[in-house]
Amino acid sequence: EEAVRGLRVPTRMIGLLFFLLERLSIRQDDAGSHGISLPVDEFDCSRTLAHMVLFSYDDAIVKAAGEDAYVRWMDDQVMGVQSRADGLRLLGLVGRALGRLHLTPNAKKTRILSLSEARRHYHLDLNHILDQAESVVRSNLPFGAKRRRVRKLTQQVWAKGRQYEKIGEFGKVLKRLYRLAGVAGARFLRRRALRDALSNPEIAERVCDYMRTSGSVLEYINFVERLVGSDEQVYASVNLAAVESLLRLEPAGYETRRLRTLATRLLRGQLNIPGLDECRAVAPLLIPLFCVLVIADHYQHCRP
């Protein structure tokens, strides 16, 4: 509130704003307002308000580093300096400027990098190739030619980038790679997909999409069963995303029976997995869907 009151905004409007924020905030009945955090709303007002709060901070950093040497996107920011010593001095200013707003910088995500180190940390060369693949996906090329071109580019990224897997922001590269490899139907990531979903739960949904689009229905059912049944899979959100993804399949015959069995086991609580209650809520949607598919398939083959 102190930060916003420093802006050129009518006082009554600010009062109304914080009145609404207080009413929208989720509070326990027996607890008072702790005066921190913003409620998340469907119009993304919280992010916009947080962005406005940092305007005075922007002025302080621009004054020290120069307007051409500072870029901020919400809470992510990059600053250019002439030396490591200048970088350390600027980080000191960052801490003081944020402190005036009752904020602290995230030390774990802060880096002082040379240009060559930044190139590898953010994998600019790999992301450039992935940008080319994105352009191909949006192009007007025939479907077959598009998939072949994207497959070639993703394989190029993997051949060049796998040696840098433990460096910098490679996780974001891997997330993009899974999506584009799925678009191309490339299978070169399938061997490691389960390991990536278990070790990087933030990309598990992307891995599931890749496995579903790059293989057969039966292969994907086997993958989901291995994923949710793994002792290392402890995230309810991952299991829910995997089960929900089964609704996108078009099974037939044996595949339908496998899915029906899985849905039945979920409904009966026979699978001791994190997020079981959420997955059980999805299971009833699986059974009628696959029954309809079986009936339609039977009709098609018996039609005179």
Side-chain angles (χ1 to χ4, degrees):
E1 185 174 3
E2 292 174 6
V4 175
R5 288 193 184 279
L7 303 176
R8 294 181 179 179
V9 181
T11 304
R12 292 177 63 85
M13 183 179 294
I14 295 177
L16 177 60
L17 168 66
F18 283 95
F19 173 82
L20 293 174
L21 285 175
E22 181 64 29
R23 293 299 182 270
L24 290 171
S25 296
I26 299 174
R27 310 293 188 199
Q28 297 295 331
D29 294 337
D30 56 349
S33 172
H34 46 65
I36 61 173
S37 77
L38 297 172
V40 177
D41 61 273
E42 60 182 303
F43 304 108
D44 211 19
C45 295
S46 298
R47 285 170 60 88
T48 303
L49 185 59
H51 174 59
M52 292 171 60
V53 165
L54 291 175
F55 284 174
S56 61
Y57 166 79
D58 293 336
D59 293 338
I61 301 302
V62 167
K63 185 177 180 180
E67 188 170 357
D68 294 336
Y70 172 61
V71 176
R72 178 174 69 82
W73 171 250
M74 296 303 177
D75 60 342
D76 291 325
Q77 48 197 290
V78 178
M79 308 163 198
V81 293
Q82 295 297 320
S83 67
R84 180 175 176 82
D86 290 341
L88 291 170
R89 282 191 288 269
L90 188 57
L91 284 180
L93 174 62
V94 167
R96 294 191 298 273
L98 288 176
R100 289 194 287 269
L101 299 174
H102 310 288
L103 300 170
T104 56
N106 189 331
K108 291 184 178 180
K109 293 185 177 181
T110 301
R111 299 283 189 278
I112 299 178
L113 303 170
S114 67
L115 291 179
S116 59
E117 290 170 339
R119 175 180 178 273
R120 181 46 55 212
H121 182 83
Y122 294 109
H123 303 286
L124 302 183
D125 52 344
L126 303 181
N127 277 299
H128 177 66
I129 301 174
L130 291 173
D131 289 341
Q132 293 178 12
E134 296 275 9
S135 298
V136 173
V137 171
R138 295 191 297 267
S139 69
N140 295 324
L141 286 173
F143 180 73
K146 184 182 298 187
R147 293 192 74 181
R148 287 191 296 271
R149 177 62 176 158
V150 174
R151 186 182 298 119
K152 182 178 180 180
L153 289 170
T154 53
Q155 289 173 339
Q156 181 181 345
V157 169
W158 185 237
K160 185 176 182 180
R162 60 194 309 175
Q163 59 184 312
Y164 305 120
E165 187 169 353
K166 302 298 182 180
I167 299 176
E169 301 289 344
F170 190 82
K172 295 179 180 179
V173 173
L174 191 62
K175 186 175 182 179
R176 293 187 70 189
L177 187 60
Y178 265 111
R179 189 183 77 82
L180 290 167
V183 170
R187 296 175 61 91
F188 62 89
L189 292 173
R190 292 183 64 86
R191 279 186 156 182
R192 58 174 291 147
L194 181 61
R195 173 161 50 90
D196 284 336
L198 292 173
S199 59
N200 300 292
E202 65 275 5
I203 69 170
E205 188 172 357
R206 183 66 56 82
V207 173
C208 287
D209 289 339
Y210 166 76
M211 292 297 288
R212 177 174 51 82
T213 56
S214 65
S216 67
V217 171
L218 186 57
E219 286 177 322
Y220 186 64
I221 296 172
N222 292 334
F223 171 78
V224 169
E225 289 183 342
R226 291 199 305 272
L227 177 61
V228 301
S230 173
D231 293 336
E232 299 179 22
Q233 208 312 90
V234 295
Y235 299 98
S237 59
V238 172
N239 285 337
L240 178 59
V243 172
E244 285 182 336
S245 67
L246 297 173
L247 292 168
R248 296 173 175 265
L249 297 178
E250 297 182 6
Y254 174 69
E255 301 158 351
T256 303
R257 294 193 295 273
R258 284 280 301 276
L259 284 166
R260 188 167 60 242
T261 300
L262 176 60
T264 302
R265 293 181 66 195
L266 287 171
L267 285 171
R268 292 176 176 174
Q270 295 175 346
L271 295 176
N272 185 21
I273 60 174
L276 176 61
D277 291 340
E278 292 86 348
C279 294
R280 290 173 71 181
V282 178
L285 301 176
L286 295 172
I287 296 177
L289 169 66
F290 298 131
C291 287
V292 169
L293 288 172
V294 170
I295 294 171
D297 185 65
H298 178 73
Y299 173 77
Q300 182 179 7
H301 285 86
C302 295
R303 185 171 51 191

